[in-house]
Amino acid sequence: MTLYWSIRRELWENRSLYIAPLAVAAVFLAGYLISIVGFPARMHAIAALDAPQRQQALWLPFNMAAGLLMLAGMVVGGFYSIEAMRSERRDRSILFWKSLPVSDTVTVLAKVLVPVALLPLYTFAVTFVLQCAMLVAVSVVLWMNGLSAQPVWTDLSFAHRTALLLYHLVAVHGLWQAPIFGWLLFVSAWARRAAIVWAVLPPFAAGTLEMLVFGTRQTVAVLENRLSGGGAEAHTMPGTFPMDPTTHATIGVFLLSPGLWIGLAVTAVFVAAAIQLRKHRGPAG
């Protein structure tokens, strides 16, 4: 229960976590509604395509919506993590929160669960509602122009793609990228100023030094792997969009992959360090 109210506190203090994705979805939906005015005229050309090309043409705006919200979720989660610990020291609210019967462990766990668990699920919910609205809107436009919307519903495979989207957000944007959020949270607890610089500088310096000394780029490859979604660890057909029908979720492979558990172990180290720092850090001077 204490953890639940600690998470509620994070949402109350950081309204951009849920307002920003909603704003992105609203802007995209407005643009989509304008664009589908001429969709009935394009429907005849789309219907003449073969099945894979037709599916790709119909699903393109839905992919764009999902991709844009995924990016928004990553950006919001990153900025939240880098400020999660610093903001309470900067405005001295840490003194108030430390006076409450809530441990540092619970407080930091709540902060890391927001980008790792809550934000991916929220991004999925917003994306699902947005795509449903898009599907209904294009169906209404076709119906008003005397055309059937059945081919759209059939070719889109909406339920299958939605399940793939949920898996991708939870597995990749949550669990696989957890070390990134853990690192940002640790930097937020450690850095007294210029936290973004300290978050970027060590990985950049390590990657540059490795390339200069050894001529390899393993550090860069690891970072790219975490940011891009894990490739074959998360799904077959790496390189395709998460909701592409040719993509198949490999849940068993993902859960048994060493990369996942190494990443979670690294995340646990960062979180433990952030807890210890919060215990001994007071307001920023």
Side-chain angles (χ1 to χ4, degrees), residues 107-247:
T107 299
V108 176
L109 284 178
K111 291 179 183 296
V112 76
L113 284 175
V114 168
V116 171
L118 193 64
L119 196 54
L121 292 175
Y122 179 71
T123 302
F124 167 76
V126 174
T127 306
F128 176 73
V129 172
L130 172 60
Q131 291 182 339
C132 285
M134 293 167 62
L135 190 56
V136 171
V138 73
S139 300
V140 170
V141 169
L142 290 173
W143 175 74
M144 292 177 64
N145 286 269
L147 298 174
S148 173
Q150 183 178 356
V152 176
W153 288 77
T154 302
D155 289 334
L156 285 182
S157 303
F158 189 71
H160 177 61
R161 293 176 188 264
T162 299
L164 287 174
L165 174 64
L166 176 60
Y167 166 75
H168 178 80
L169 284 169
V170 172
V172 173
H173 291 256
L175 298 177
W176 190 257
Q177 294 180 348
I180 297 174
F181 297 118
W183 163 253
L184 294 177
L185 196 67
F186 165 73
V187 173
S188 179
W190 174 80
R192 296 187 181 275
R193 55 181 61 86
I196 294 180
V197 175
W198 286 111
V200 175
L201 187 59
F204 176 78
T208 302
L209 185 63
E210 179 193 352
M211 286 189 286
L212 290 175
V213 175
F214 302 104
T216 59
R217 56 190 308 273
Q218 290 299 316
T219 301
V220 175
V222 168
L223 292 174
E224 289 178 346
N225 182 264
R226 289 292 163 181
L227 289 171
S228 64
E233 294 95 340
H235 51 73
T236 61
M237 298 295 291
T240 59
F241 197 77
M243 292 182 294
D244 191 290
T246 60
T247 301

Side-chain angles (χ1 to χ4, degrees), residues 12-90:
W12 173 62
E13 290 189 336
N14 301 274
R15 292 182 174 85
S16 61
L17 286 169
Y18 54 88
I19 292 178
L22 283 177
V24 171
V27 171
F28 187 91
L29 181 60
Y32 180 74
L33 293 177
I34 296 173
S35 70
I36 61 174
V37 173
F39 183 77
R42 301 193 301 270
M43 188 63 187
H44 297 289
I46 293 175
L49 300 173
D50 57 27
Q53 292 178 323
R54 187 171 61 250
Q55 291 175 355
Q56 184 176 3
L58 290 173
W59 192 254
L60 179 60
F62 292 82
N63 279 346
M64 292 174 61
L68 190 61
L69 282 168
M70 287 180 196
L71 178 60
M74 289 179 61
V75 172
V76 169
F79 276 103
Y80 162 79
S81 299
I82 200 65
E83 286 294 322
M85 309 287 279
R86 289 186 69 248
S87 60
E88 64 178 11
R89 298 202 314 272
R90 187 172 55 247

